[in-house]
């Protein structure tokens, strides 16, 4: 099944959050953000992280996505940000100028990409010399951590092992990412782990509603409505609190320099 990024029903699924301060702090540790004037957010979805880059002081941000539907949602989400523009393109052919950016961000993108070499080559092409490439995604190990009151995603795979198989199939190992970056010519490669706050819910029911609507969770589009309802009920019973929930996901971030 999978999510249809071109379906208008999914236009706002990646616009409803704000980037958490934990992500911004991680970026500041990795990137000389005050020296970045031009950045691109490839696979920008609803523009959440394009907006975060602008909030951190980047004076010009271009969001790129292959889905015109996603871009409509992103433009609405960032309508008050005059230093953010959007264009249609994909990670293998962005349509952006050579050597045009000091920072390329690809967050939650590469698990949709089979040809990592072509993806990384495109990032290399559009970065200026000494430009920084930030990739953020989950490795199989990140995804398959046990579920608890914080790591809600872990329950997906406990209840539906078929999702575990799907997840492993689409996720790249850190070793492959690093080897491919080196093969393209990137240097100064660093890898860090980040527990990023995904959302803070005042009540458990808000989180359950988020799950029912599959908001910002492409993996849940692999379940039909009956299975999704079964999963939500399972999570409801697994989490003891009815009050505030701070949902977190573990990510791997790779930094590389052209």
């Amino acid at each position: 099944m999978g999510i249809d990024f071109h379906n208008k029903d999914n236009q706002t699924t990646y616009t409803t959050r704000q980037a958490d301060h934990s992500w911004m702090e991680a970026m500041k540790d990795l990137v000389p953000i005050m020296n970045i004037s031009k950045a691109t957010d490839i696979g920008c979805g609803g523009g959440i992280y394009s907006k975060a880059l602008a909030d951190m002081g980047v004076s010009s941000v271009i969001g790129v996505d292959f889905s015109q539907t996603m871009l409509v949602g992103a433009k609405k989400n960032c309508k008050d940000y005059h230093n953010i523009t959007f264009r249609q393109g994909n990670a293998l052919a962005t349509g952006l100028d050579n050597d045009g950016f000091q920072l390329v961000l690809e967050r939650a993108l590469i698990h949709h990409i089979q040809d990592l070499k072509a993806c990384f080559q495109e990032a290399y092409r559009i970065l200026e010399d000494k430009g920084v490439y930030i990739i953020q995604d989950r490795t199989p190990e990140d995804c398959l951590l046990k579920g608890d009151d914080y790591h809600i995603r872990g329950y997906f795979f406990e209840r539906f092992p078929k999702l575990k198989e799907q997840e492993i199939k689409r996720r790249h190992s850190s070793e492959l990412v690093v080897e491919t970056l080196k093969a393209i010519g990137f240097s100064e490669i660093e890898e860090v782990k980040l527990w990023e706050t995904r959302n803070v819910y005042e009540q458990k029911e808000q989180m359950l509603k988020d799950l029912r609507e599959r908001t910002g969770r492409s993996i849940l589009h692999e379940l039909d409505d009956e299975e999704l309802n079964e999963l939500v009920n399972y999570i409801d019973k697994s989490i003891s609190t009815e009050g505030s929930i701070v949902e977190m996901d573990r990510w791997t971030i790779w930094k590389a320099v052209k």
Side-chain angles (χ1 to χ4, degrees), residues 223-241:
L223 301 178
D224 62 30
D225 291 345
E226 184 177 340
E227 290 171 325
L228 180 62
N229 188 58
E230 188 177 331
L231 175 64
V232 171
N233 290 336
Y234 177 77
I235 293 173
D236 187 14
K237 293 175 182 176
S238 299
I239 296 176
S240 57
T241 180

Side-chain angles (χ1 to χ4, degrees), residues 38-42 62 64 87 90-106 118-129 131-133 186 258:
K38 292 187 68 177
T40 181
D41 176 13
I42 299 175
I62 297 178
V64 178
R87 62 185 299 169
N90 66 65
L92 310 188
T94 61
L96 300 173
D97 292 338
N98 292 344
D99 312 312
F101 298 89
Q102 296 154 332
L103 173 64
V104 172
L105 170 67
E106 293 180 351
C119 177
F120 294 177
Q121 281 178 327
E122 178 68 354
Y124 193 90
R125 180 186 70 79
I126 64 177
L127 275 169
E128 64 179 44
D129 287 341
V132 178
Y133 186 23
F186 283 101
K258 178 174 177 179

Side-chain angles (χ1 to χ4, degrees), residues 184-243:
I184 298 301
F186 283 101
S187 62
E188 300 179 42
I189 299 168
E190 298 179 42
E191 177 190 321
V192 298
K193 297 291 186 181
L194 172 66
W195 277 100
E196 181 182 354
T197 298
R198 184 187 186 278
N199 217 332
V200 179
Y201 301 97
E202 293 182 5
Q203 300 291 330
K204 180 168 70 169
E205 181 52 40
Q206 293 175 327
M207 184 268 293
L208 298 176
K209 179 176 182 291
D210 209 35
L211 292 171
R212 291 187 192 99
E213 295 175 352
R214 300 183 173 92
T215 305
R217 304 173 193 267
S218 62
I219 190 70
L220 294 185
H221 288 262
E222 302 295 334
L223 301 178
D224 62 30
D225 291 345
E226 184 177 340
E227 290 171 325
L228 180 62
N229 188 58
E230 188 177 331
L231 175 64
V232 171
N233 290 336
Y234 177 77
I235 293 173
D236 187 14
K237 293 175 182 176
S238 299
I239 296 176
S240 57
T241 180
E242 296 295 328

Side-chain angles (χ1 to χ4, degrees), residues 66-81:
F66 82 128
S67 166
Q68 187 61 41
T69 299
M70 291 290 112
L71 292 175
V72 170
K75 289 173 183 177
K76 291 178 181 177
N77 188 27
C78 300
K79 65 181 186 304
D80 296 326
Y81 287 72

